[in-house]
């Protein structure tokens, strides 16, 4: 593996970082204090992101994206991750690559408008009673002639309030397995405004202010068979094929935020004086900086290795789980230590540290909890021994 960046990758990093610092940083404080992201601001950022070639950069060239390899895409995500999540996720949108699994008709209706910034998508899996255990979902879809009838509730659905359509995963049957009955899952496109489909305001979140979540309710919501994404009862196959890299995306954004926090802490330690000398000269501070840098580098290496292996076609679930687990837990550690080095000032919202600290908490929960990642890693270790 080559550890240096190519010229193209260095350009991606420089371009994205400059965009983040010039176009996103100036709006962070207002979004954090109000918890609101104005649509005019989103459109303004969106326009500038398109002009800079950063919009939908995660997608293949054949559908209008940048065609980045996985490692380059993760470098791009890392730079975006430095900023408030709502600003970079809605303004510099990256349509879900699960849209690539659609038919040509579905791509015309959903994918291409997302690529042009005309529509936003959202994914709906989680339910009040089914978080880590997605097979436990109760929201269901039953066939009625050529149509399907959807009933149930989804929650914690990110930015569903601005999404023009949702990709919803529903229990569509049951199958017998050696470990007992297991739900079959089917994925559906559901347009906003479809009768029987209601979007309600979600919960106020301590992390990622401005990045809203919603509750989706389905009450005899009727859809044609053409709304199915993939095949009937094969929703998990679609999800596993197209959503695997999202754990690496989470890891990459955590790296960006941790790097920003460490930079603040290092600069502060190099200029703040107490007891007649710079605080960076005290081992109580300097050793913290060393440990923060060590943990950040370890998380970087795990993430870049997983990205590189993804491009080689050799990545495993363990690779991605290790990257996600290490990066998210590293961010929590670095954010906490950065605040400790700053003392009381670290908790003031004039600095981004208290935001990074708050935002870090959700990263160990969504896209698979830390416990789920440890389960995946240990399961692969034990399977190798036949256990």
């Amino acid at each position: 593996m080559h550890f240096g960046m190519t010229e193209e990758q260095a350009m991606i990093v420089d371009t994205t970082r400059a965009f983040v610092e010039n176009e996103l940083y100036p709006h962070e404080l207002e979004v954090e204090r109000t918890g609101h992201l104005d649509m005019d601001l989103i459109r303004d950022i969106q326009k500038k992101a398109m002009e800079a070639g950063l919009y939908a950069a995660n997608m293949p060239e054949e559908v209008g994206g940048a065609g980045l390899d996985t490692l380059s895409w993760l470098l791009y995500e890392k730079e975006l991750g430095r900023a408030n999540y709502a600003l970079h996720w809605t303004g510099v949108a990256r349509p879900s690559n699960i849209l690539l699994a659609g038919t040509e008709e579905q791509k015309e209706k959903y994918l291409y408008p997302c690529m042009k910034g005309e529509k936003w998508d959202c994914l709906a899996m989680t339910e009040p009673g089914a978080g880590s255990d997605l097979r436990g979902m109760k929201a269901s879809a039953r066939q009625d002639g050529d149509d399907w009838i959807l009933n149930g509730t989804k929650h914690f659905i990110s930015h569903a309030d601005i999404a023009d359509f949702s990709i919803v995963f529903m229990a569509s049957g049951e199958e017998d397995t050696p470990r007992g009955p297991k739900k079959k899952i089917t994925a559906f496109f559901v347009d906003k405004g479809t009768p029987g489909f209601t979007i309600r305001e979600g919960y106020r979140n301590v992390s990622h202010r401005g990045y809203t979540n919603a509750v989706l309710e389905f009450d005899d919501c009727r859809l044609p068979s053409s709304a199915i994404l993939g095949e009937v009862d094969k929703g998990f196959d679609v999800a596993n094929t197209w959503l695997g890299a999202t754990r690496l995306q989470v890891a990459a954004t955590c790296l960006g935020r941790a790097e920003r926090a460490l930079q603040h802490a290092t600069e502060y330690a190099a200029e703040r004086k107490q007891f007649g000398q710079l605080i960076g000269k005290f081992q109580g501070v300097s050793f913290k900086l060393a440990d923060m840098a060590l943990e950040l580098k370890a998380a970087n290496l795990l993430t870049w290795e997983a990205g590189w292996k993804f491009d080689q076609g050799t990545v495993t679930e363990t690779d991605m789980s290790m990257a996600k687990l290490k990066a998210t837990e590293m961010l929590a550690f670095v954010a906490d230590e950065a605040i400790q080095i700053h003392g009381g000032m670290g908790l003031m919202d004039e600095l981004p540290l208290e935001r990074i600290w708050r935002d870090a908490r959700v990263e160990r929960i969504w896209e698979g909890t830390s416990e789920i990642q440890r389960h995946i890693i240990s399961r692969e270790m034990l399977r190798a021994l036949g256990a």
Side-chain angles (χ1 to χ4, degrees), residues 309-324:
K309 291 175 75 173
F310 201 100
D311 287 328
Q312 309 309 307
T314 59
V315 74
T316 65
E317 278 195 276
T318 290
D319 293 325
M320 293 187 285
S321 288
M322 282 185 170
K324 200 265 182 184

Side-chain angles (χ1 to χ4, degrees), residues 13-28 45 48 54 78-84 87-88 92 256 259-260 263-264 267 355:
V13 168
D14 291 343
T15 301
T16 310
R17 183 174 298 186
F19 185 89
V20 166
E21 292 177 349
N22 295 327
E23 305 298 341
L24 303 188
Y25 280 5
H27 304 290
E28 283 185 320
I45 294 172
K48 292 175 179 176
L54 299 176
K78 176 184 175 182
E79 295 307 316
L80 290 176
R82 293 171 174 272
N84 166 280
L87 284 168
H88 78 72
V92 193
E259 197 170 271
R260 187 177 178 187
Q263 181 181 352
H264 274 279
E267 291 173 353
R355 171 183 66 80

Side-chain angles (χ1 to χ4, degrees), residues 255 292-303 326-327 330:
L255 297 177
M292 293 158 73
L294 177 64
E295 292 299 308
L296 176 57
K297 185 162 188 175
N300 265 293
L301 291 173
L302 279 169
T303 304
K326 183 62 178 179
M330 173 278 300

